[in-house]
Amino acid sequence: EDDDEEEDDGPMLPGAARRARGPALPDEVIRAQAEHRELQLKATAAGVDMPIQGGREEWMIVPGKYDFLSGIKSGQPIQSRGFQNKKSRGEDEKPDAPIHPAVQAEMDAIMQAHQDARGPSLMDEHRAKKQKEKESAPVGGKKEWKWNREKNLDDGRRVDKDALGMILGGAADNLKTKFQGGFNR
């Protein structure tokens, strides 16, 4: 009879599946959970908060105390709250200690040697190049070329019939021999 029951096909009842598999957690985990629950019950019976291991601290769980209505000034529109990124000037500034003239002269010499070794910056070279181009441009020659729609738009676009005949050559006649020329009658 036992063999027949095991070979039955069909869905298992919800409780039967759990009994057939056994507990989903290992015994050590179940024992640890039972001990933890027992400690929780003792702590609540004594009126003491249970220390949380690896959990969140209270300030993370408890919402802050901010009253929205008290934050609104009566009769005035709500202003957006932005960052106050103001630098305090003059406060907490320590006056620079005076630098000995010999040290200052040495620092200036080092900076000058560094600038001489690097050479001019790219911006300086660019400005010098533009200045040379401006100076070498003819003073009395053409000033600026201005674009004129009527004159410059059609430059090189219009072709007279003679130039068109030269460009096409005998292509139109050759096309008529190859095709019937239904459109060119």
Side-chain angles (χ1 to χ4, degrees):
E1 290 179 0
D2 291 335
D3 295 336
D4 293 337
E5 289 179 14
E6 291 177 359
E7 294 177 337
D8 286 342
D9 291 333
M12 294 182 89
L13 297 174
R18 191 173 300 138
R19 274 185 258 122
R21 272 189 283 157
L25 298 173
D27 291 339
E28 300 88 34
V29 175
I30 293 174
R31 284 191 203 106
Q33 286 178 345
E35 290 173 7
H36 183 70
R37 181 68 181 148
E38 189 175 327
L39 286 174
Q40 279 182 332
L41 291 173
K42 287 180 183 177
T44 52
V48 179
D49 287 337
M50 177 74 180
I52 302 172
Q53 295 176 344
R56 295 179 185 258
E57 296 176 13
E58 183 179 354
W59 65 270
M60 294 178 167
I61 299 171
V62 177
K65 295 173 182 150
Y66 176 73
D67 187 13
F68 180 73
L69 295 177
S70 67
I72 299 175
K73 294 178 181 176
S74 61
Q76 295 181 354
I78 299 175
Q79 295 179 348
S80 64
R81 295 182 286 170
F83 290 107
Q84 297 291 328
N85 193 11
K86 296 179 183 173
K87 306 240 189 256
S88 60
R89 302 217 182 247
E91 303 171 15
D92 300 337
E93 281 188 19
K94 295 179 182 176
D96 292 335
I99 300 174
H100 194 272
V103 174
Q104 183 67 40
E106 184 181 354
M107 286 178 17
D108 291 341
I110 292 172
M111 287 176 58
Q112 187 63 39
H114 177 70
Q115 287 177 354
D116 292 342
R118 281 191 79 181
S121 68
L122 292 176
M123 279 302 295
D124 293 339
E125 289 178 4
H126 177 71
R127 286 183 186 134
K129 181 180 173 185
K130 287 292 182 185
Q131 186 66 26
K132 284 181 185 176
E133 288 176 3
K134 193 175 185 181
E135 290 172 359
S136 67
V139 178
K142 290 184 180 179
K143 290 183 180 178
E144 248 185 78
W145 179 76
K146 292 186 179 178
W147 190 76
N148 184 357
R149 177 181 170 81
E150 285 76 27
K151 183 180 177 220
N152 301 120
L153 188 64
D154 289 334
D155 278 354
R157 292 183 121 203
R158 293 193 179 168
V159 180
D160 59 345
K161 290 187 178 185
D162 295 333
L164 188 63
M166 282 177 39
I167 293 170
L168 291 178
D173 296 332
N174 290 338
L175 287 176
K176 286 181 184 176
T177 60
K178 293 183 180 179
F179 301 102
Q180 291 183 358
F183 292 102
N184 295 340
R185 289 184 190 204

PDB file of all heavy atoms in Angstrom, residues 81-93:
ATOM      1  N   ARG A  81      14.290  76.915  -0.890  1.00  0.00           N
ATOM      2  CA  ARG A  81      15.429  76.801   0.013  1.00  0.00           C
ATOM      3  C   ARG A  81      16.625  76.321  -0.790  1.00  0.00           C
ATOM      4  O   ARG A  81      16.659  75.199  -1.262  1.00  0.00           O
ATOM      5  CB  ARG A  81      15.120  75.814   1.132  1.00  0.00           C
ATOM      6  CG  ARG A  81      14.008  76.304   2.034  1.00  0.00           C
ATOM      7  CD  ARG A  81      13.774  75.337   3.137  1.00  0.00           C
ATOM      8  NE  ARG A  81      13.083  74.163   2.589  1.00  0.00           N
ATOM      9  CZ  ARG A  81      12.901  73.046   3.251  1.00  0.00           C
ATOM     10  NH1 ARG A  81      13.354  72.922   4.469  1.00  0.00           N
ATOM     11  NH2 ARG A  81      12.267  72.037   2.714  1.00  0.00           N
ATOM     12  N   GLY A  82      17.599  77.173  -0.963  1.00  0.00           N
ATOM     13  CA  GLY A  82      18.793  76.820  -1.731  1.00  0.00           C
ATOM     14  C   GLY A  82      19.983  76.682  -0.810  1.00  0.00           C
ATOM     15  O   GLY A  82      19.897  76.856   0.411  1.00  0.00           O
ATOM     16  N   PHE A  83      21.096  76.367  -1.394  1.00  0.00           N
ATOM     17  CA  PHE A  83      22.315  76.231  -0.621  1.00  0.00           C
ATOM     18  C   PHE A  83      22.842  77.612  -0.253  1.00  0.00           C
ATOM     19  O   PHE A  83      22.811  78.534  -1.053  1.00  0.00           O
ATOM     20  CB  PHE A  83      23.381  75.478  -1.421  1.00  0.00           C
ATOM     21  CG  PHE A  83      23.067  74.039  -1.597  1.00  0.00           C
ATOM     22  CD1 PHE A  83      22.668  73.560  -2.830  1.00  0.00           C
ATOM     23  CD2 PHE A  83      23.164  73.154  -0.542  1.00  0.00           C
ATOM     24  CE1 PHE A  83      22.381  72.230  -3.002  1.00  0.00           C
ATOM     25  CE2 PHE A  83      22.881  71.833  -0.700  1.00  0.00           C
ATOM     26  CZ  PHE A  83      22.482  71.359  -1.937  1.00  0.00           C
ATOM     27  N   GLN A  84      23.325  77.743   0.933  1.00  0.00           N
ATOM     28  CA  GLN A  84      23.956  78.983   1.382  1.00  0.00           C
ATOM     29  C   GLN A  84      25.460  78.813   1.209  1.00  0.00           C
ATOM     30  O   GLN A  84      26.152  78.419   2.129  1.00  0.00           O
ATOM     31  CB  GLN A  84      23.604  79.259   2.855  1.00  0.00           C
ATOM     32  CG  GLN A  84      22.135  79.478   3.106  1.00  0.00           C
ATOM     33  CD  GLN A  84      21.658  80.780   2.499  1.00  0.00           C
ATOM     34  OE1 GLN A  84      22.402  81.747   2.428  1.00  0.00           O
ATOM     35  NE2 GLN A  84      20.412  80.801   2.054  1.00  0.00           N
ATOM     36  N   ASN A  85      25.921  79.066   0.007  1.00  0.00           N
ATOM     37  CA  ASN A  85      27.333  78.865  -0.302  1.00  0.00           C
ATOM     38  C   ASN A  85      28.048  80.204  -0.268  1.00  0.00           C
ATOM     39  O   ASN A  85      28.533  80.699  -1.269  1.00  0.00           O
ATOM     40  CB  ASN A  85      27.472  78.203  -1.674  1.00  0.00           C
ATOM     41  CG  ASN A  85      28.856  77.684  -1.900  1.00  0.00           C
ATOM     42  OD1 ASN A  85      29.653  77.633  -0.980  1.00  0.00           O
ATOM     43  ND2 ASN A  85      29.151  77.307  -3.130  1.00  0.00           N
ATOM     44  N   LYS A  86      28.075  80.802   0.912  1.00  0.00           N
ATOM     45  CA  LYS A  86      28.707  82.105   1.059  1.00  0.00           C
ATOM     46  C   LYS A  86      30.045  81.926   1.752  1.00  0.00           C
ATOM     47  O   LYS A  86      30.157  81.234   2.747  1.00  0.00           O
ATOM     48  CB  LYS A  86      27.826  83.033   1.893  1.00  0.00           C
ATOM     49  CG  LYS A  86      26.508  83.347   1.219  1.00  0.00           C
ATOM     50  CD  LYS A  86      25.673  84.239   2.095  1.00  0.00           C
ATOM     51  CE  LYS A  86      24.323  84.497   1.461  1.00  0.00           C
ATOM     52  NZ  LYS A  86      23.436  85.227   2.347  1.00  0.00           N
ATOM     53  N   LYS A  87      31.022  82.573   1.186  1.00  0.00           N
ATOM     54  CA  LYS A  87      32.342  82.504   1.796  1.00  0.00           C
ATOM     55  C   LYS A  87      32.484  83.681   2.757  1.00  0.00           C
ATOM     56  O   LYS A  87      32.079  84.785   2.461  1.00  0.00           O
ATOM     57  CB  LYS A  87      33.408  82.594   0.718  1.00  0.00           C
ATOM     58  CG  LYS A  87      33.243  81.578  -0.383  1.00  0.00           C
ATOM     59  CD  LYS A  87      34.442  80.722  -0.451  1.00  0.00           C
ATOM     60  CE  LYS A  87      34.410  79.847  -1.661  1.00  0.00           C
ATOM     61  NZ  LYS A  87      34.107  78.543  -1.560  1.00  0.00           N
ATOM     62  N   SER A  88      33.031  83.408   3.890  1.00  0.00           N
ATOM     63  CA  SER A  88      33.223  84.487   4.868  1.00  0.00           C
ATOM     64  C   SER A  88      34.548  85.159   4.563  1.00  0.00           C
ATOM     65  O   SER A  88      35.608  84.560   4.655  1.00  0.00           O
ATOM     66  CB  SER A  88      33.212  83.925   6.282  1.00  0.00           C
ATOM     67  OG  SER A  88      34.239  82.978   6.433  1.00  0.00           O
ATOM     68  N   ARG A  89      34.475  86.407   4.160  1.00  0.00           N
ATOM     69  CA  ARG A  89      35.681  87.150   3.806  1.00  0.00           C
ATOM     70  C   ARG A  89      36.086  88.026   4.993  1.00  0.00           C
ATOM     71  O   ARG A  89      35.264  88.687   5.602  1.00  0.00           O
ATOM     72  CB  ARG A  89      35.440  88.009   2.585  1.00  0.00           C
ATOM     73  CG  ARG A  89      35.004  87.193   1.411  1.00  0.00           C
ATOM     74  CD  ARG A  89      35.599  87.736   0.143  1.00  0.00           C
ATOM     75  NE  ARG A  89      35.101  86.945  -0.978  1.00  0.00           N
ATOM     76  CZ  ARG A  89      35.862  86.182  -1.690  1.00  0.00           C
ATOM     77  NH1 ARG A  89      37.137  86.084  -1.419  1.00  0.00           N
ATOM     78  NH2 ARG A  89      35.366  85.496  -2.688  1.00  0.00           N
ATOM     79  N   GLY A  90      37.331  88.002   5.293  1.00  0.00           N
ATOM     80  CA  GLY A  90      37.826  88.833   6.370  1.00  0.00           C
ATOM     81  C   GLY A  90      37.812  88.124   7.710  1.00  0.00           C
ATOM     82  O   GLY A  90      38.579  88.442   8.596  1.00  0.00           O
ATOM     83  N   GLU A  91      36.930  87.169   7.864  1.00  0.00           N
ATOM     84  CA  GLU A  91      36.867  86.431   9.129  1.00  0.00           C
ATOM     85  C   GLU A  91      37.815  85.244   9.053  1.00  0.00           C
ATOM     86  O   GLU A  91      37.969  84.627   8.017  1.00  0.00           O
ATOM     87  CB  GLU A  91      35.446  85.913   9.382  1.00  0.00           C
ATOM     88  CG  GLU A  91      34.389  86.994   9.399  1.00  0.00           C
ATOM     89  CD  GLU A  91      32.995  86.395   9.445  1.00  0.00           C
ATOM     90  OE1 GLU A  91      32.869  85.206   9.748  1.00  0.00           O
ATOM     91  OE2 GLU A  91      32.052  87.127   9.172  1.00  0.00           O
ATOM     92  N   ASP A  92      38.360  84.877  10.117  1.00  0.00           N
ATOM     93  CA  ASP A  92      39.223  83.708  10.256  1.00  0.00           C
ATOM     94  C   ASP A  92      40.404  83.723   9.288  1.00  0.00           C
ATOM     95  O   ASP A  92      40.998  82.692   9.043  1.00  0.00           O
ATOM     96  CB  ASP A  92      38.425  82.412  10.052  1.00  0.00           C
ATOM     97  CG  ASP A  92      37.312  82.286  11.061  1.00  0.00           C
ATOM     98  OD1 ASP A  92      37.407  82.910  12.135  1.00  0.00           O
ATOM     99  OD2 ASP A  92      36.337  81.557  10.781  1.00  0.00           O
ATOM    100  N   GLU A  93      40.706  84.853   8.691  1.00  0.00           N
ATOM    101  CA  GLU A  93      41.863  84.904   7.804  1.00  0.00           C
ATOM    102  C   GLU A  93      43.088  85.271   8.627  1.00  0.00           C
ATOM    103  O   GLU A  93      43.063  86.220   9.401  1.00  0.00           O
ATOM    104  CB  GLU A  93      41.665  85.959   6.704  1.00  0.00           C
ATOM    105  CG  GLU A  93      40.799  85.499   5.582  1.00  0.00           C
ATOM    106  CD  GLU A  93      40.805  86.495   4.434  1.00  0.00           C
ATOM    107  OE1 GLU A  93      41.731  87.325   4.362  1.00  0.00           O
ATOM    108  OE2 GLU A  93      39.881  86.445   3.626  1.00  0.00           O
TER     109      GLU A  93
END
